[in-house]
Amino acid sequence: MSGQLPEFYFRVRENGALVFRVDTENRQRRIEMDQIAAINIRNGEIKPQGDRTLSEEELGVIHNWMEERTELLAQRDIDDIHRAVDYLNLTTQWVQAKASDEQLEAVTDDLLLAMHDLRSVLVRKKADRLLKDRS
């Protein structure tokens, strides 16, 4: 563990995080974490814990974390999509070179429906962008 702990700790949860103030300046020199807020990334809501009023410093740290977290999640989404393209290519190679008739029978309909759905949405979104660019 490094010698200097951060002043704030964010416990990530599905829609955001719980925010804690980290305290090591106590009599026992133990790490204490005092929850100061719960935040929701999706709607930008910051709920102070109990009857606490958040300071400008605390709000600034929370807003900064929310911005950084939103950027990180967006990067992960794109990375997941690139990974999905790789999986599609690997799946194509598997179908071409390795899959047995029984294996293909087990997955063909699901793959075809998923690919049809994806293609339909991609084509519609592409058409929307082209029409928007023309206007």
Side-chain angles (χ1 to χ4, degrees):
M1 184 182 283
S2 69
Q4 186 67 25
L5 292 174
E7 188 174 354
F8 297 95
Y9 171 72
F10 293 82
R11 182 193 301 157
V12 175
R13 56 187 194 164
E14 187 156 337
N15 295 333
L18 300 176
V19 185
F20 296 86
R21 183 177 280 280
V22 178
D23 177 22
T24 57
E25 299 299 321
N26 55 62
R27 187 185 283 166
Q28 294 85 13
R29 302 286 295 160
R30 293 183 182 161
I31 298 171
E32 293 181 5
M33 297 191 328
D34 179 31
Q35 184 179 344
I36 62 171
I39 56 180
N40 185 319
I41 290 281
R42 290 186 184 152
N43 64 16
E45 186 175 53
I46 300 171
K47 288 184 181 177
Q49 180 67 22
D51 59 354
R52 174 186 290 274
T53 301
L54 298 173
S55 70
E56 290 299 317
E57 176 201 11
E58 292 168 334
L59 285 170
V61 169
I62 290 169
H63 284 291
N64 186 51
W65 183 89
M66 290 173 74
E67 287 177 24
E68 289 176 2
R69 182 70 179 171
T70 300
E71 289 173 15
L72 175 64
L73 294 174
Q75 289 171 355
R76 286 181 181 171
D77 282 347
I78 291 297
D79 188 49
D80 287 346
I81 299 307
H82 287 293
R83 197 172 292 113
V85 171
D86 288 347
Y87 284 134
L88 284 170
N89 287 316
L90 291 169
T91 302
T92 302
Q93 185 60 34
W94 172 80
V95 168
Q96 181 80 33
K98 296 180 183 177
S100 69
D101 289 344
E102 295 81 24
Q103 289 171 319
L104 289 173
E105 190 61 36
V107 298
T108 296
D109 290 343
D110 289 339
L111 281 169
L112 286 172
L113 288 170
M115 290 183 327
H116 174 74
D117 185 30
L118 176 60
R119 184 184 184 283
S120 297
V121 172
L122 287 171
V123 168
R124 185 175 63 245
K125 292 286 195 172
K126 177 86 171 190
D128 289 347
R129 287 193 313 274
L130 289 172
L131 289 173
K132 188 173 122 181
D133 287 346
R134 287 186 188 166
S135 356

